[in-house]
Amino acid sequence: STGEHLTITEGPFDALPLLIAGLHDVVAVAGTHIEVEAIPTNILRVTIAFDSDTRGKEATDKLQKALARKGINTLLVPPPDDGKGKDWSERYRRYGQEGIASVLAQATARVFEQAPQAPDLPHACAICGADQTVMVEMEFRYTPQGVLYCEEHYALWEQAEGAAESTGQGNDGTMSESA
């Protein structure tokens, strides 16, 4: 499997030049916040194309860390600090296709040169250690975060997840043995 890829920009006006240039996997967020949990599980690679200003750099760092926790490989492609514009939209407005051509060529080459790496998924229940390769008669399930549980412990995880959602707290896909 080659995995799926997304390019994320700070807003729709930053996404438009990338779409015009031929990138078809571009999504725009409103500002710099994105719910990483909303990214489909088949996405294995993300190009972060936020602005090159301070806020964009801080958001890029935060998003890169959140994506890494989800097992998603990232490629950082902010507009270069060359005076031609702090974001994709400004560069395109001022210089047209030329303003984004070299950056897009670099981003496209790097995205397709990188072989997507499927996350190493565990093969044993995170609670009891039952190995799915040995205990073939047991059912096992992964959480969206990639944590494996046997059928019994997955049911407990679902209960804990439901409780966390009802109280507005997040769940990282793991639970303690006392749960």
Side-chain angles (χ1 to χ4, degrees):
S1 166
T2 60
E4 295 292 325
H5 178 266
L6 282 179
T7 299
I8 302 175
T9 66
E10 278 192 38
F13 290 105
D14 292 324
L16 287 173
L18 303 182
L19 291 166
I20 290 167
L23 293 179
H24 302 289
D25 61 356
V26 181
V27 294
V29 296
T32 56
H33 179 73
I34 183 170
E35 291 291 331
V36 173
E37 296 79 25
I39 295 176
T41 57
N42 65 323
I43 300 298
L44 300 177
R45 300 174 298 148
V46 169
T47 296
I48 304 172
F50 283 174
D51 297 356
S52 59
D53 60 5
T54 301
R55 186 171 176 216
K57 289 175 183 176
E58 290 170 356
T60 295
D61 184 56
K62 183 178 176 181
L63 178 57
Q64 182 181 28
K65 288 175 182 172
L67 292 170
R69 285 192 296 272
K70 193 174 176 182
I72 297 174
N73 294 320
T74 55
L75 176 64
L76 309 181
V77 187
D81 188 15
D82 60 4
K84 292 185 177 182
K86 71 170 183 65
D87 61 34
W88 299 103
S89 177
E90 182 179 0
R91 294 176 70 85
Y92 187 75
R93 280 191 324 270
R94 293 172 73 189
Y95 298 96
Q97 190 78 15
E98 184 181 319
I100 60 173
S102 64
V103 178
L104 288 173
Q106 177 187 12
T108 303
R110 288 175 62 189
V111 166
F112 292 109
E113 283 174 9
Q114 290 183 348
Q117 301 168 358
D120 291 330
L121 296 175
H123 57 83
C125 175
I127 299 295
C128 67
D131 189 321
Q132 70 177 345
T133 62
V134 176
M135 309 291 287
V136 293
E137 72 282 355
M138 290 179 70
E139 286 194 37
F140 291 83
R141 291 179 68 184
Y142 288 97
T143 67
Q145 297 82 6
V147 179
L148 181 66
Y149 293 114
C150 65
E151 183 176 23
E152 176 186 347
H153 291 120
Y154 188 87
L156 292 174
W157 174 82
E158 283 183 313
Q159 291 173 357
E161 180 74 5
E165 286 178 8
S166 68
T167 61
Q169 299 175 342
N171 189 336
D172 66 1
T174 61
M175 62 180 184
S176 65
E177 194 166 346
S178 62

